[in-house]
Amino acid sequence: MTISNTGTGDVDPAVRQELERLRDSIDNIDAAVVHMLAERFKCTQQVGRLKAVHQLPPADPARESRQIERLRRLAESAKLDPGFAEKFLTFIIAEVIRHHESIAEDTANGQPDATG
């Protein structure tokens, strides 16, 4: 028996157990992704501070292009849609650039970096 259309029907215990096992795995993966992104942003904040102190531009289009191509290749080998991977990285890059611009502005104004 499978789940009813309303989601409230009786479910075979084996199906429910497998569903819970898979959802637990998804929850663990989501937690790992969040922690990995936090570590990534800690590194990019350091890059932003270094760029600001040395008056380097917040964005590096050549590196961004290389990273996107690299991630597309990794996605293909992992059987993940490369277009999705590119959209994901592009979103992250835009956020990093936003942080770098903020750090550069704060540095130029003599304000301490609020990002820690």
Side-chain angles (χ1 to χ4, degrees):
M1 180 182 288
T2 59
I3 299 173
S4 71
N5 290 339
T6 63
T8 60
D10 293 332
V11 177
D12 181 309
V15 172
R16 182 171 303 283
Q17 184 177 15
E18 180 67 3
L19 185 59
E20 288 175 12
R21 183 190 69 76
L22 291 168
R23 286 179 173 167
D24 285 346
S25 291
I26 291 167
D27 292 349
N28 289 337
I29 294 165
D30 287 347
V33 167
V34 167
H35 287 282
M36 290 172 66
L37 284 171
E39 286 301 312
R40 187 187 197 287
F41 276 98
K42 285 177 188 174
C43 291
T44 61
Q45 293 293 343
Q46 291 174 15
V47 168
R49 286 189 287 276
L50 189 61
K51 285 181 172 184
V53 166
H54 295 280
Q55 299 178 334
L56 298 170
D60 185 344
R63 174 165 165 75
E64 293 156 20
S65 292
R66 288 190 308 272
Q67 287 298 96
I68 288 169
E69 284 307 311
R70 179 179 164 271
L71 197 70
R72 287 185 67 88
R73 287 190 305 274
L74 288 169
E76 286 176 10
S77 69
K79 307 288 190 249
L80 178 68
D81 177 10
F84 170 78
E86 181 174 345
K87 287 177 193 174
F88 181 71
L89 185 61
T90 299
F91 174 78
I92 291 172
I93 289 170
E95 187 67 9
V96 167
I97 291 170
R98 188 180 69 76
H99 290 178
H100 289 187
E101 290 169 342
S102 177
I103 293 167
E105 184 177 322
D106 289 349
T107 300
N109 294 331
Q111 298 175 1
D113 179 18
T115 61

